[in-house]
């Protein structure tokens, strides 16, 4: 049977009807909002490359988290700007590091907001790479102990979930083991499993002051051309103990999200990264697009591709508009 009997437009005639048959939903509960913690107090400085997002000192970050919780957003993920950087990124795993202090402050200020922490050295190392450098190269195995230490320090501060984003081989296993040894066997790991070497991280690297001082990250982050390799990364991370797996970036990798969602039985997260956000904001500032409609369409497409959870700088804007 086809036209004139079949008329798909019949179910598009009113918003009530459209809403009733809608296949994909997005709610603030699905979202995680990234926060950048800076040293000092009373600091609330807008990030030029991420309009509407701020560098926040520990006191300010707790207030921001309260607002995020009030908006019904599921969680926050924390990134830190240390006081000082060194070759081993030691502020990243210091008990009084900015992220550790921020976790404590947010846990004290909020009730149920989930606190995720990004586990990676690049914000804390003077060279800006995600691991220990020897002979001009990022060394995999010596980096694992530092990442494990960082994850345990986040757990001790009260993080609900740790999220390694470094792309060293074996880091999920090393972190799982260290957490278990320290009595955190119930703390979940969200692995940045398929993280691509992407130009879409540009604005973040300005925000987190984490651009590599030499070379690039293509020796450890994935080649944008590969999808089967993403499935292998996911399988390895799950084998090592990942409870949730992430694909990053989101929009240019919707096919990867779909493939991971179809092959893995773990919840899938997608990171709608800084460059994706900056493009929308820049076009909106020019008056070239309808930002509200565009961000709803973007988040819907990421969920439709198969993501359960979305990390996004749009979370507050979306939640303010969500009915
Ligand atoms: C740290 C990290 C990065 C992002 C999240 N964690 C930067 C990078 O790998 O260069 C990017 C997030 C974004 O662009 O929004 N390794």
């Amino acid at each position: 049977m086809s036209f004139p009997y079949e008329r798909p437009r019949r179910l598009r005639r009113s918003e009530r009807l459209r809403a009733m048959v809608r296949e994909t939903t997005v709610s603030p509960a699905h979202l995680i909002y990234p926060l950048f913690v800076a040293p000092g107090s009373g600091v609330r400085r807008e990030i030029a490359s991420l309009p509407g997002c701020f560098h926040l000192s520990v006191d300010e970050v707790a207030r921001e988290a309260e607002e995020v919780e009030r908006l019904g957003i599921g969680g926050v993920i924390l990134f830190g700007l240390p006081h000082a950087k060194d070759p081993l990124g030691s502020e990243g795993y210091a008990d009084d590091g900015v992220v550790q202090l921020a976790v404590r402050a947010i846990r004290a200020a909020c009730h149920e907001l989930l606190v995720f922490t990004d586990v990676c050295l690049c914000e804390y190392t003077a060279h800006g790479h995600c691991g220990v450098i020897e002979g001009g190269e990022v060394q995999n195995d010596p980096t694992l102990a530092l990442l494990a230490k960082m994850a345990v320090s986040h757990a001790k501060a009260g993080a609900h979930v740790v999220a390694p984003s470094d792309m060293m081989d074996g880091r999920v296993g090393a972190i799982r083991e260290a957490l278990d040894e320290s009595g955190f066997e119930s703390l979940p790991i969200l692995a940045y499993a398929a993280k691509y070497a992407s130009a879409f991280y540009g604005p973040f690297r300005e925000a987190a002051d984490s651009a590599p001082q030499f070379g690039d990250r293509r020796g450890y982050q994935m080649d944008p051309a590969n999808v089967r390799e993403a499935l292998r990364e996911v399988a390895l991370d799950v084998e090592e103990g990942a409870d949730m797996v992430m694909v990053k970036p989101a929009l240019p990798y919707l096919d990867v999200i779909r493939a991971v969602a179809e092959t893995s039985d773990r919840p899938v997260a997608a990171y709608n990264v800084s460059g994706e956000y900056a493009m929308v904001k820049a076009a909106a500032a020019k008056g070239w697009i309808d930002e509200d409609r565009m961000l709803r369409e973007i988040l819907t497409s990421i969920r439709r591709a198969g993501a359960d959870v979305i990390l996004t700088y749009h979370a507050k804007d979306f939640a303010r508009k969500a009915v």
Side-chain angles (χ1 to χ4, degrees), residues 118 120 122 165 195 201 204-205 217 221 248 274 313:
D118 185 84
C120 189
C122 65
S165 71
K195 177 173 176 180
Y201 307 150
F204 173 95
R205 290 184 186 169
R217 302 211 207 289
Q221 298 181 347
K248 177 185 173 188
S274 57
Y313 304 94

Side-chain angles (χ1 to χ4, degrees), residues 199-223:
F200 285 85
Y201 307 150
F204 173 95
R205 290 184 186 169
E206 187 183 326
D209 186 24
S210 67
Q213 298 304 299
F214 66 90
D216 55 41
R217 302 211 207 289
R218 281 180 286 189
Y220 40 105
Q221 298 181 347
M222 279 182 56
D223 188 320

